[in-house]
Amino acid sequence: MPVLSDAKVRALKPKEKPYKQADFDGLFLLVNPGGSKLWRFKYRWMGKEKLLSFGKYPDLSLKQARDQRENARKLLNEGNPTTRRSRSMCPHFMPTISPARTAVSPANKNA
């Protein structure tokens, strides 16, 4: 049930404001006023809307964008695709642990 074809994507012209052209299953192409076309994937994670950016058209073809969307959907079934994608893109990724915060009460503020 694909909506976009390569010919349709090539024919998209920039407008005064950025606009989205949907494909299906959350994949869409963002067309900016400057003429750039960016592949994006919109999904929900734990009740919140999230957005993944895949790349720029024509560097990333329609088929490649659909493949990346399918990979992201598989990762979504296993866990948060944003986190897994970050780790897979950067092999030296190490999550940082923030130090524990201590509560400061108004009475101890000036102490």
Side-chain angles (χ1 to χ4, degrees), residues 3-46:
V3 175
L4 289 177
S5 66
D6 195 52
K8 286 181 184 177
V9 171
R10 276 185 273 126
L12 293 173
K13 302 295 179 200
K15 296 181 180 176
E16 200 172 301
K17 294 183 178 180
Y19 69 97
K20 300 174 187 176
Q21 186 64 47
D23 187 37
F24 68 101
D25 281 348
L27 181 67
F28 66 92
L29 192 65
L30 178 66
V31 183
N32 287 313
S36 65
K37 299 173 184 177
L38 308 170
W39 290 111
R40 301 282 172 90
F41 174 56
K42 185 166 66 170
Y43 66 98
R44 289 200 164 272
W45 176 252
M46 303 201 52

Side-chain angles (χ1 to χ4, degrees), residues 54-84:
F54 291 145
K56 191 175 185 179
Y57 179 86
D59 297 340
L60 191 70
S61 70
L62 175 60
K63 182 180 179 340
Q64 291 170 324
R66 287 177 177 162
D67 290 343
Q68 286 198 12
R69 183 212 46 231
E70 288 307 312
N71 289 338
R73 288 174 62 88
K74 287 177 188 174
L75 291 175
L76 185 57
N77 287 333
E78 296 171 7
N80 188 346
T82 308
T83 306
R84 293 186 180 250

